[in-house]
């Protein structure tokens, strides 16, 4: 087991995802963020079927920071009820995981 985790979210646009990514990395809550643009989401919202173009935001952080990342992501997110999910990283390339730990802070 490691002290690393992934936080996943969908956002309304590439620009919004990049803004959130830059903020969380600058604040050292995430070591790295990946933005995948051009996803289509199909879901039910307020009783109606929806289909929207979105971007995926994947954040890599330490397990101990997940709740702070979720809270900050919620503050920055434009959606009323954003999809924000997290899961622990069970294992990985040790030098990368060390780098991830060094790039995040408890402050």
């Amino acid at each position: 087991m490691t002290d690393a985790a992934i936080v996943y979210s969908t956002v309304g646009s590439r620009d919004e995802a990049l803004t959130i990514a830059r903020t969380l990395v600058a604040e050292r809550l995430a070591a790295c963020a990946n933005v995948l643009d051009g996803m289509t989401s199909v879901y039910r919202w307020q009783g109606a079927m929806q289909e929207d173009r979105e971007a995926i935001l994947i954040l890599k952080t330490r397990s101990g920071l997940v709740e702070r990342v979720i809270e900050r992501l919620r503050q920055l997110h434009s959606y009323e009820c954003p999809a924000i999910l997290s899961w622990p990283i069970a294992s990985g390339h040790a030098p990368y995981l060390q780098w991830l730990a060094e790039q995040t802070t408890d402050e």
Side-chain angles (χ1 to χ4, degrees):
M1 197 65 161
T2 70
D3 182 38
I6 297 287
V7 177
Y8 166 96
S9 187
T10 54
V11 297
S13 70
R14 178 180 184 274
D15 288 342
E16 181 179 5
L18 286 170
T19 297
I20 293 169
R22 289 179 184 125
T23 300
L24 292 174
V25 171
E27 292 176 358
R28 299 180 69 99
L29 291 173
C32 177
N34 302 120
V35 174
L36 294 85
D37 195 17
M39 179 196 60
T40 301
S41 291
V42 178
Y43 58 98
R44 184 177 303 279
W45 179 248
Q46 298 180 342
M49 289 293 292
Q50 305 290 326
E51 187 170 315
D52 291 309
R53 183 174 170 90
E54 294 184 299
I56 297 170
L57 179 59
I58 300 170
L59 302 158
K60 293 132 190 174
T61 189
R62 286 186 289 124
S63 299
L65 293 174
V66 167
E67 292 306 316
R68 287 178 55 197
V69 170
I70 290 171
E71 177 58 30
R72 189 66 172 122
L73 179 53
R74 178 64 194 108
Q75 291 170 357
L76 297 166
H77 209 292
S78 66
Y79 290 179
E80 179 182 337
C81 183
I84 304 172
L85 307 169
S86 71
W87 58 91
I89 296 172
S91 64
H93 182 57
Y96 179 83
L97 294 172
Q98 180 62 39
W99 171 83
L100 186 153
E102 292 168 358
Q103 300 310 307
T104 54
T105 184
D106 286 326
E107 294 177 10

